[in-house]
């Protein structure tokens, strides 16, 4: 009986420590992408083979390097904009991070790949789904990451939810164990 109480107390303590660290981790995940220089990718949604405009301003060095897994590295000179052609094999529906590097300071923008319209489709600006913060999105179900996501594994929200559920289950187990030990009945 003592072993069960000790194990329950240890697990509850571990859960409490995990919950105490959760707000900090959650704040880091939701922190806005703030830099001392400005940058943008236009349009935010494009078909494979299309061209995006890359813009950066306010960087004190003569050039900004722009990298992504969906196009070749581009160097923007003297605050001028540049263009990049999206790879033809870019996966429709995928979201790619575009990284702007100004003397070691990095800012990231997102680019979504639209579905291609078949042979002879227009590869220019494609109006995609509304991805503004207030837009309704589909339900994320199942185990694993969403299709085309560059993020891997579970996020902070999922981990915090799991810790809360485990702590609740352990708390219920402690209460039921004490009731049984005190002669109570279920």
């Amino acid at each position: 009986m003592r072993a069960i109480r000790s194990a329950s107390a240890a697990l509850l303590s571990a859960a409490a420590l995990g919950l105490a660290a959760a707000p900090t981790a959650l704040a880091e995940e939701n922190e806005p992408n703030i830099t001392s220089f400005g940058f943008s990718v236009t349009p935010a949604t494009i078909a494979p083979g299309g061209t995006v405009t890359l813009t950066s301003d306010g960087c004190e060095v003569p050039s900004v390097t722009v990298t992504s897994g969906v196009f070749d590295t581009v160097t923007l000179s003297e605050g001028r904009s540049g263009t990049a052609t999206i790879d033809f094999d870019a996966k429709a529906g995928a979201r790619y991070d575009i990284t702007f590097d100004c003397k070691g300071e990095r800012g990231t923008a997102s680019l979504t790949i639209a579905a291609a319209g078949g042979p002879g489709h227009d590869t220019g600006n494609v109006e995609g789904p509304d991805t503004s913060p207030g837009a309704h999105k589909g339900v994320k179900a199942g185990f694993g990451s969403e299709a085309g996501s560059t993020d891997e594994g579970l996020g902070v929200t999922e981990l915090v939810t799991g810790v809360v559920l485990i702590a609740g289950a352990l708390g219920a187990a402690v209460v039921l164990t004490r009731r049984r030990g005190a002669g109570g009945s279920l």
Side-chain angles (χ1 to χ4, degrees):
M1 184 72 163
R2 224 171 249 237
I4 292 174
R5 286 186 194 156
S6 298
S8 296
L11 288 172
L12 286 173
S13 297
L17 288 173
L19 289 175
T24 305
L26 193 58
E28 289 173 2
E29 180 181 275
N30 294 328
E31 186 174 309
N33 194 5
I34 299 173
T35 60
S36 64
F37 67 100
F39 56 89
S40 66
V41 177
T42 309
T45 302
I46 192 149
T51 302
V52 292
T53 301
L54 307 167
T55 307
S56 174
D57 61 352
C59 185
E60 296 175 5
V61 296
S63 64
V64 173
T65 305
V66 185
T67 57
S68 176
V70 73
F71 58 76
D72 294 332
T73 299
V74 175
T75 301
L76 305 177
S77 299
E78 302 291 334
R80 294 187 182 132
S81 61
T83 60
T85 301
I86 305 304
D87 294 339
F88 283 99
D89 61 351
K91 185 176 180 180
R95 193 183 104 219
Y96 292 90
D97 287 337
I98 312 299
T99 303
F100 292 79
D101 188 330
C102 169
K103 67 180 178 181
E105 181 181 8
R106 291 186 174 101
T108 305
S110 293
L111 179 68
T112 303
I113 306 301
H121 69 277
D122 179 20
T123 58
N125 297 351
V126 175
E127 187 172 324
D130 182 10
T131 58
S132 61
H136 295 286
K137 297 182 180 180
V139 177
K140 183 178 177 184
F143 182 76
S145 60
E146 59 185 318
S149 174
T150 57
D151 300 340
E152 293 189 21
L154 298 174
V156 174
T157 306
E158 290 89 353
L159 290 175
V160 170
T161 303
V163 168
V164 169
L165 291 172
I166 290 170
L170 290 173
V174 168
V175 169
L176 292 174
T177 303
R178 287 187 179 190
R179 281 187 184 170
R180 285 186 186 162
S185 62
L186 295 177

